[in-house]
């Protein structure tokens, strides 16, 4: 059963300050352009792609942290975009986010106990003793000693600060946790510890993750399915094993070619040039300016995301 359903989502950011009397057409950054996918209950969907492909905008759109132009975001059947402010506040306890930079996402003026307790104070009616017990329990769940409850964020390492963020996200027993580059700011050795913790919590608590990353090696380890994005669009979607071992879209092949442990000389594709501007994307397939397999049709129309292989859906005319 799908816990999260995203349908035809569009997130466009206006560029510049267009005056009322200006004759110029308003321009937009098409950060997310008609993206649809589902995430099953108790699974992890990894979303990968180069910087600027729309991953973080998608995460912020799902979290209602940035305006959405059109589409639907259904969480357990509830359309988050149709809710009024009061209803959204009530529903927000069901979906939480872990941000990229743990230091920036923690209030330096609050103790760890106060930071983790904050959501509970908003949504739960707990006594002071119950609140302290709950906070200590959450700290233990993420591998932090309860005696640290009165310490401030600056007294912790980067990995410990991310554990605090995870504890805070767990406080309201959410159905969905969005991890936006949750380990990219950490040392490699610490990354593996946090990924292992997320996996343990998923198994123990039945959590569902949307895991956004530019690191395919990390994404492969934690994800059940992978969605590859390029210039605001989905170019490939499938089971992690199938996408990593048998990529179909040339862009997916190029991404995997860049990871030494997954590189296959016969399938190696070196990308040339930069990602085109999302303000003026190329007509047709957005990848046509860098694709080694480009043909005339690719310059004229956008390929549909169609089923190819056992589990994959791919948007490409040449596969």
């Amino acid at each position: 059963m799908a816990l999260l359903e995203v349908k035809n989502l569009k997130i466009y950011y206006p560029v510049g300050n267009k005056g009322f009397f200006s004759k110029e057409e308003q321009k937009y950054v098409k950060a997310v352009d008609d993206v649809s996918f589902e995430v099953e209950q108790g699974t992890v969907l990894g979303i990968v792609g180069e910087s600027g492909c729309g991953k973080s905008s998608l995460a912020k759109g799902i979290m209602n942290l940035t305006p959405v132009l059109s589409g639907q975001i259904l969480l357990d059947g509830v359309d988050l975009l149709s809710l009024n402010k009061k209803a959204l506040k009530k529903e927000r306890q069901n979906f939480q986010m872990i941000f990229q930079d743990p230091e920036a996402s923690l209030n330096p003026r609050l103790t760890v106990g106060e930071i983790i307790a904050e959501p509970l104070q908003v949504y739960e009616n707990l006594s002071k003793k119950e609140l302290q017990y709950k906070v200590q329990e959450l700290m233990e769940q993420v591998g932090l000693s309860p005696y640290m409850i009165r310490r401030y964020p600056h007294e912790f390492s980067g990995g410990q600060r991310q554990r605090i963020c995870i504890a805070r996200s767990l406080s309201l027993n959410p159905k969905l946790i969005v991890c936006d580059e949750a380990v990219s700011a950490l040392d490699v050795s610490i990354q593996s510890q946090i990924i292992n913790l997320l996996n343990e919590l998923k198994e123990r608590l039945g959590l569902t993750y949307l895991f956004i990353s530019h690191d395919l090696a990390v994404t492969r380890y934690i994800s059940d399915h992978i969605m590859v994005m390029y210039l605001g669009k989905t170019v490939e979607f499938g089971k992690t094993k199938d996408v990593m071992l048998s990529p179909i879209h040339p862009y997916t092949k190029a991404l995997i070619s860049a990871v030494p442990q997954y590189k296959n000389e016969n399938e190696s594709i070196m990308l040339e040039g930069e990602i085109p501007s999302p303000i003026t994307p190329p007509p047709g397939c957005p990848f046509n300016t860098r694709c080694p397999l480009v043909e005339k049709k690719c310059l004229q129309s956008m390929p549909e995301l169609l089923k190819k292989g056992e589990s994959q859906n791919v948007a490409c005319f040449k596969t």
Side-chain angles (χ1 to χ4, degrees):
M1 178 182 175
L3 174 69
L4 176 68
E5 296 177 76
V6 174
K7 299 180 179 180
N8 306 111
L9 195 68
K10 291 185 178 182
I11 300 174
Y12 291 2
Y13 301 122
V15 178
N17 296 316
K18 183 176 178 294
F20 183 78
F21 296 104
S22 175
K23 293 182 180 179
E24 291 184 13
E25 184 180 350
Q26 176 67 63
K27 293 182 178 179
Y28 295 90
V29 172
K30 297 181 179 181
V32 178
D33 196 11
D34 200 25
V35 168
S36 300
F37 62 89
E38 294 182 357
V39 186
E40 299 293 317
Q41 172 74 46
T43 66
V44 181
L45 172 63
I47 300 179
V48 299
E50 294 170 283
S51 296
C53 72
K55 306 185 301 294
S56 291
S57 290
L58 177 61
K60 290 174 184 175
I62 290 169
M63 291 299 301
N64 274 253
L65 297 178
T66 195
V68 170
L69 180 65
S70 63
Q72 286 184 297
I73 302 169
L74 302 172
L75 181 65
D76 212 7
V78 178
D79 188 354
L80 301 180
L81 298 180
S82 69
L83 301 178
N84 59 36
K85 198 171 183 179
K86 185 177 180 181
L88 180 61
K89 181 183 177 182
K90 184 178 179 181
E91 186 66 27
R92 191 172 285 282
Q93 61 188 307
N94 291 322
F95 59 106
Q96 295 293 310
M97 189 168 188
I98 303 170
F99 294 91
Q100 177 177 355
D101 186 351
E103 186 173 6
S105 62
L106 297 174
N107 190 333
R109 294 183 176 87
L110 299 181
T111 65
V112 169
E114 291 169 332
I115 288 168
I116 298 173
E118 212 169 13
L120 292 165
Q121 290 172 320
V122 174
Y123 288 96
E124 305 283 348
N125 186 22
L126 300 176
S127 67
K128 190 174 181 180
K129 188 174 181 180
E130 289 172 329
L131 189 63
Q132 184 174 358
Y133 176 79
K134 179 66 175 176
V135 169
Q136 289 177 330
E137 185 182 48
L138 287 163
M139 290 179 69
E140 287 180 334
Q141 274 191 336
V142 300
L144 293 172
S145 299
Y147 75 81
M148 299 175 171
I149 195 168
R150 290 184 177 85
R151 291 185 181 180
Y152 289 87
H154 73 270
E155 299 178 77
F156 293 85
S157 66
Q160 288 175 323
R161 283 195 286 261
Q162 198 60 295
R163 289 175 188 268
I164 296 166
C165 295
I166 293 170
R168 179 177 58 185
S169 73
L170 293 174
S171 61
L172 298 173
N173 299 313
K175 298 175 182 177
L176 173 73
I177 296 181
V178 178
C179 307
D180 185 16
E181 300 276 10
V183 297
S184 64
L186 306 175
D187 292 340
V188 175
S189 59
I190 305 301
Q191 284 184 9
S192 61
Q193 293 176 21
I194 297 300
I195 291 297
N196 287 334
L197 173 63
L198 290 172
N199 269 331
E200 289 170 15
L201 292 170
K202 178 177 93 67
E203 295 301 322
R204 194 186 331 148
L205 305 176
L207 297 172
T208 304
Y209 296 138
L210 196 65
F211 189 84
I212 291 161
S213 177
H214 62 273
D215 191 327
L216 273 166
V218 170
T219 305
R220 180 185 186 180
Y221 183 71
I222 193 173
S223 302
D224 298 291
H225 292 80
I226 286 179
M227 183 170 84
V228 183
M229 290 186 68
Y230 185 82
L231 211 64
K233 291 186 177 291
T234 303
V235 296
E236 186 162 352
F237 185 106
K239 290 181 180 178
T240 299
K241 183 179 178 181
D242 294 336
V243 172
M244 293 299 300
L245 297 181
S246 304
I248 297 175
H249 196 282
Y251 179 60
T252 310
K253 290 180 180 180
L255 288 180
I256 294 173
S257 294
V259 183
Q261 60 264 49
Y262 305 130
K263 186 175 181 180
N264 182 334
E265 296 297 339
N266 297 324
E267 292 287 339
S268 182
I269 295 178
M270 293 296 292
L271 290 181
E272 296 182 1
E274 300 294 327
I275 297 178
S277 169
I279 302 173
T280 54
C285 174
F287 189 55
N288 67 39
T289 59
R290 303 169 77 193
C291 182
L293 306 178
V294 66
E295 59 181 28
K296 188 176 180 181
K297 191 176 183 180
C298 306
L299 306 175
Q300 298 170 340
S301 56
M302 174 66 195
E304 291 183 55
L305 194 67
L306 300 175
K307 186 172 178 60
K308 295 176 183 181
E310 287 192 21
S311 78
Q312 285 132 293
N313 291 278
V314 184
C316 183
F317 292 121
K318 293 291 288 181
T319 57

